[in-house]
Structures are given as C-alpha cells and as structure tokens.
C-alpha cells in the first residue's frame, strides 16, 4: 500500500514537471520576424550599457525579437541578474539569450545553421566571430559555435536596406559580432534608460548598504574617475576638444563649450569646492564616493569639517551597487567624459533627479 502511494506521488511529480516544461515552451512562440543577438564586447559596463540601449532601439526598428545578451565581466552575467525583464518587455519583445538557447534554439537555430555576421566597410571582408576575448568566451558560454560567417556593409541606420539584407526566412537569427549601435549613444536613445530597472537582488544589496550606514540621511553621491588609465586618456583633452568618449551627455559636440582637462580630470581643489556647494545646497549630511582609484576621503572630511559630513566609500565587489546608490542620491556629481557616470545621469534624468558634472558647476 505504502509502495503504491509512493509510486502515485512520483507519477504526480512527473506530470507536474511536464506541465511546467510545456508552459515554458508555450511562453515563447516563434517570432516570424526573427531574432537578433550581438555581443556587448566593447569596454566595461558603462560602455556596454550604452551599446545595449542602442541595440535595443535598433531591434525595435527592424522588429526582431532581441535576445538579451549577457553582460561581460570576466564571465557572462545573465542579463536578468542585474535588470528586470518586464520593463524591457513593455518597450519591445525580448528574451534572455540563455532561455532562447535552451528552449527555442534547438528548433529555430539548430547547430549546423548558425551563421555569424560582421559589419565591414568592404564587401567580403573576413569575419571572425569568436577571435579573442571577450568574443570567444561570450559565445562559448552561450554554447554557440558558428558554422559559417560573412561580412555585410549595411549601416545600422539603414533599416530598410538592413531588412532586405537579412530576410527572416534566410536568417531566423541574426548574430552580430558587435552591437549595431554607436558609442557614445545617440541622444534620442537616452530615455530608453527608463526600461533598465535594477533587479531585486541589486536593489536589496545596494539598499542594505545605505540602511546600515546612513539610513534616511540626505546624501550627495559623487563619481571620481581618477585611475592611471584615466589620467592618460585625459591628456587628449589638453587645450579642449569638442567631444570625448561619453562627453555628449553634458557637452554638445560642436558647441562653444569644449571638453577640457578640468572637466575630464578635475583638480582636488575644484572637486572640494564644487562638492561643498552641493552639500550646502542640498543640506546633505553624507557624501557617498564611487571611484576607480582615489576616494579622497580625508581631503573631503577635512574640507567639510564645519558641516560634520560623514564620507562613505565601499569599493563594492559589484560596481552595480555603486551605480544603484549613486542613482538614489539627493544630488549626484559625475564625470562628464565617463560612461559609468552617464549610466547614472541617464537613470536619474528619467526620474527627474538632479545631476551636475565636475568642472561645469
Ligand atoms: C512585428 O513583429 C510581430 C511579430 O513578432 C508582428 O506581429 C507585428 O505585426 C510586427 N510589426 C510590424 C510593425 O511589422
């Protein structure tokens, strides 16, 4: 009798599993317009995010389902580890790439039919989808090998030509070597940031730090980009240039205001002055510092001692926690040239939160 009960429970379990799996499959109907995937293979998170949003806008304009690429660190990080799926789905049809590979790829994009495409200015250029890091590991970790590759010469702005070049019947999945988007991103794409909302895990961890250290206090968040690579890069701004990396976020290319050394790599003295101004205006009791190198904690504490401001800096294991905390600040001062800053400034803009930039008051 007991044995029978056990067996019947086992059968129930099996049925349950099967139902669950069928639901997973039914959740995804095959898109007759096809799919798009590309590697976020350029730079660190800030650059990747700008490329992602551009690629998202592109996927919508050609009406293909976007396979959400994993973010790249030293490994692939599933897109939804860091961001919620639903706000993106409100904008366009998307599926996490890992889910697609597991559930739809065996039918839609089976091994043997996997073609990779590289943009090139010349016809018939070589296309090496998996050469080097992070290109190789990106596709390997998704379990993708390419059976053939090709180059194409159509710009991503040419939507009609693009659709003609890649018909869905012949290309159920278009797999691109890099993002079909410019860096820095097109200004028109910035508002799409509203669809990039932190996952519950990131919010919990970020908020935990705030609640433990300065719960409910007003704070100014600052981003100090001052590592040796940055000192090097900022040499290009000596004498002032029209545009440099993420600078269009606050300086219009071709306008009267130039990107100067003081904007790219502000002196400690001007950082302190500008910060003091922001602390006074917001009535903040806390300064939160995110940096790749020097958080200037003692300089800030000393300079602001009359205000009894506490200074926090955590160098978190996940830079996303810094981004979250900076996004929540009462005021944020960032580096105009940095795409780490531009992530925060966009996220704040779509929520009407104030941001200023070093060297621009
Ligand atoms: C976009 O593709 C979907 C199928 O995924 C289709 O139902 C819809 O009509 C297409 N929209 C346009 C504007 O072509």
């Amino acid at each position: 009798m007991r044995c029978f009960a056990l067996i019947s429970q086992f059968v129930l379990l099996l049925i349950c599993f099967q139902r669950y799996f069928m639901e997973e499959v039914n959740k995804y109907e095959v898109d007759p317009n096809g799919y798009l995937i590309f590697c976020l293979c350029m730079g660190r998170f800030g650059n990747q995010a700008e490329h992602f949003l551009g690629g998202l806008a592109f996927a919508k304009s050609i009406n293909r389902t976007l396979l959400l690429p994993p973010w790249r660190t030293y490994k692939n990080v599933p897109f939804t580890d860091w961001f919620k799926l639903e706000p993106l789905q409100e904008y366009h049809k998307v599926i996490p790439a890992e889910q697609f590979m597991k559930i739809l790829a065996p039918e839609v994009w089976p091994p043997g039919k996997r073609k990779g495409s590289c943009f090139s200015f010349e016809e018939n250029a070589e296309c090496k989808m998996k050469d080097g890091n992070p290109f190789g590991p990106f596709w390997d970790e998704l379990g993708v090998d390419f059976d053939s590759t090709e180059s194409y010469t159509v710009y991503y702005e040419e939507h009609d030509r693009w659709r003609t070049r890649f018909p869905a019947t012949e290309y159920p999945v278009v797999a691109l070597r890099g993002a079909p988007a410019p860096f820095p991103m097109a200004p028109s794409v910035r508002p799409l940031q509203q669809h990039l909302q932190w996952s519950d895990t990131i919010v919990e961890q970020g908020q935990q730090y705030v609640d433990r250290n300065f719960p409910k206090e007003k704070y100014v968040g600052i981003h100090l980009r001052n590592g040796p690579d940055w000192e090097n890069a900022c040499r290009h701004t000596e004498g002032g240039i029209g545009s440099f990396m993420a600078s269009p976020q606050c300086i219009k290319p071709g306008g009267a205001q130039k990107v100067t050394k003081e904007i790219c790599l502000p002196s400690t003295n001007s950082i302190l002055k500008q910060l003091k101004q922001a602390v006074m205006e917001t009535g903040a009791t806390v300064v939160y510092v995110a940096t790749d190198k020097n958080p200037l904690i003692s300089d800030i504490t000393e300079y602001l001692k009359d205000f009894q401001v506490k200074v926090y800096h955590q160098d978190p294991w996940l830079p996303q926690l810094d981004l979250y905390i900076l996004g929540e600040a009462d005021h944020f001062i960032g580096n105009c040239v940095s795409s780490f800053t531009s992530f925060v400034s966009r996220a704040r803009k779509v929520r009407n939160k104030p941001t200023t930039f070093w060297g621009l008051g």
Side-chain angles (χ1 to χ4, degrees):
M1 209 47 215
R2 220 192 220 172
C3 186
F4 179 73
L6 245 159
I7 288 172
S8 63
Q9 269 180 13
F10 182 69
V11 169
L12 272 175
L13 198 73
L14 273 184
I15 291 171
C16 186
F17 261 127
Q18 196 199 3
R19 286 254 168 89
Y20 175 77
F21 189 71
M22 290 307 289
E23 266 168 32
E24 281 272 287
V25 171
N26 290 339
K27 215 160 66 181
Y28 300 120
E29 279 171 36
V30 174
D31 186 345
N33 280 309
Y35 300 82
L36 173 71
I37 184 168
F38 48 81
C39 177
L40 294 171
C41 277
M42 192 199 73
R44 286 188 279 177
F45 179 73
N47 295 34
Q48 294 181 28
E50 294 213 9
H51 261 161
F52 170 75
L53 290 177
L56 174 67
F58 177 74
K60 186 169 172 104
S61 61
I62 59 165
N63 200 19
R64 278 176 177 264
T65 297
L66 179 63
L67 303 181
L68 296 174
W71 302 98
R72 264 319 285 189
T73 60
Y74 63 94
K75 61 174 184 183
N76 283 1
V77 177
F79 195 95
T80 49
D81 278 13
W82 290 348
F83 296 100
K84 292 197 176 87
L85 191 56
E86 297 75 18
L88 282 164
Q89 287 171 327
E90 281 165 22
Y91 173 72
H92 185 57
K93 43 192 181 180
V94 298
I95 305 177
E98 296 83 359
Q99 300 253 2
F100 174 85
M101 289 311 297
K102 196 171 86 188
I103 296 164
L104 288 172
E107 176 192 346
V108 180
W109 201 43
K113 299 201 164 165
R114 295 181 177 171
K115 189 178 232 180
S117 309
C118 304
F119 172 78
S120 165
F121 291 103
E122 304 148 39
E123 301 281 350
N124 303 320
E126 221 176 358
C127 172
K128 293 183 170 169
M129 290 294 285
K130 292 178 75 169
D131 257 27
N133 195 353
F135 299 93
F138 173 83
W139 296 109
D140 280 342
E141 288 169 42
L142 284 172
V144 173
D145 272 321
F146 291 98
D147 303 293
S148 62
T149 62
E150 60 169 8
S151 63
Y152 67 97
T153 55
V154 188
Y155 296 107
Y156 50 74
E157 296 97 331
E158 306 173 289
H159 300 152
D160 290 337
R161 277 192 68 202
W162 215 92
R163 268 191 270 224
T164 317
R165 173 67 180 75
F166 295 103
T169 42
E170 200 183 326
Y171 292 86
V173 174
V174 173
L176 302 179
R177 184 167 186 272
F183 179 84
M185 73 203 297
S188 61
V189 171
R190 288 179 199 143
L192 294 191
Q193 182 78 30
Q194 67 188 285
H195 301 285
L196 270 186
Q197 294 178 17
W198 295 116
S199 66
D200 291 338
T201 337
I202 297 289
V203 172
E204 268 162 36
Q205 289 181 64
Q207 198 55 43
Q208 204 171 54
Y209 181 87
V210 173
D211 292 345
R212 271 195 197 142
N213 292 287
F214 48 92
K216 303 206 164 53
E217 289 190 64
K218 279 202 167 169
Y219 68 102
V220 173
I222 65 175
H223 176 213
L224 300 177
R225 184 75 165 89
N226 52 21
D229 66 318
W230 198 251
E231 282 179 24
N232 244 332
C234 288
R235 292 216 184 104
H236 293 283
T237 60
E238 215 85 61
I241 55 174
S243 170
F244 190 44
M245 295 197 249
S247 73
Q249 68 177 309
C250 79
I251 292 170
K252 207 167 178 204
Q257 173 72 56
K258 299 281 179 245
V259 184
T260 61
K261 184 85 182 289
E262 196 54 22
I263 288 170
C264 191
L265 191 70
S267 65
T268 304
N269 197 30
S270 48
I271 288 172
L272 294 172
K273 278 192 193 148
Q274 207 174 326
L275 177 57
K276 181 175 170 182
Q277 189 69 28
V279 165
M280 278 167 34
E281 279 169 15
T282 50
T285 48
V286 167
V287 171
Y288 181 83
V289 187
T291 183
D292 53 314
K293 178 80 175 160
N294 185 356
L296 299 179
I297 292 176
S298 50
D299 299 81
I300 296 171
T301 312
E302 170 64 22
Y303 194 81
L304 296 179
K305 63 176 181 298
D306 291 347
F307 299 88
Q308 297 196 332
V309 163
K310 289 163 288 181
V311 185
Y312 289 91
H313 162 64
Q314 62 167 330
D315 198 8
W317 65 281
L318 262 184
Q320 282 66 28
L321 301 181
D322 266 347
L323 292 170
Y324 167 80
I325 296 171
L326 294 177
E328 296 299 307
D330 294 277
H331 186 86
F332 170 60
I333 312 176
N335 187 310
C336 177
V337 179
S338 153
S339 62
F340 187 87
T341 279
S342 78
F343 186 94
V344 180
S345 75
R346 284 193 309 274
R348 295 175 61 87
K349 182 100 191 252
V350 297
R351 296 166 64 200
N352 287 318
K353 287 175 158 249
T355 296
T356 48
F357 299 91
W358 301 119
L360 290 165

